[in-house]
Amino acid sequence: GFADLLKDPQLTGDEQALYISVIEQSGQRMLNIINDIIDISKIEAGQIDVFPMPSNVNAMIDYVYSFFLADAQKQGLELRIEKALPDVEARIMTDQNRLTQVLSNLIKNALKFTTQGEISVGYHLIDGDLQFFVSDTGIGIEPESIQAIFERFAQGNLMLSKRYEGAGLGLSISKALVEKMGGQIWVESEEGKGSAFFFTIPYKRV
């Protein structure tokens, strides 16, 4: 529809820029949905793989911070990070691409459901595992929805699904990836006060 509107020779420069921006954003959303559907298809076919390699978890935390900082600031949110280990101890064997994908999925959700306050991202070393967290001061999750939050095509606050865009695949994909990496994922939330997602991976130092 917006591509058709661009054909109007009477459009102002500002109108053209607005329509192009809408097209770009819609294209990116479509690409994200396609990628999620491909991942879900691989997961259900048992073809999802992880490829451990020497990785620095501190560098990954810094990366997602830099990547999402502008989005957080645009929404008036503070983005905080917490790194529990010095760089020399933060080098482990893991699939850094999949780990970054999980962190990114959780941060995207936090940005989607948080209108004020802050989002925190980081990890701790607990009982031989790295326990990552993404917490927010957003709308929280209804108690009756928490059990379904990791199911395919589900959103925590089902009544709000039309207001908050998304196919409801990100958490399901994240759960499958975390379990493939040898960990587990869970959420703690209070409606109206925010949510905290946690997941673990083995701490295998390089």
Side-chain angles (χ1 to χ4, degrees), residues 49-55 92-96 180-181 204:
D49 291 313
V50 296
F51 300 97
M53 64 187 75
S55 308
I92 65 170
M93 288 295 295
T94 192
D95 188 326
Q96 62 181 9
K180 192 72 175 180
M181 290 188 287
K204 300 177 180 178

Side-chain angles (χ1 to χ4, degrees), residues 172-184:
S172 179
I173 292 170
S174 297
K175 181 176 185 292
L177 293 178
V178 167
E179 291 174 351
K180 192 72 175 180
M181 290 188 287
Q184 54 184 321

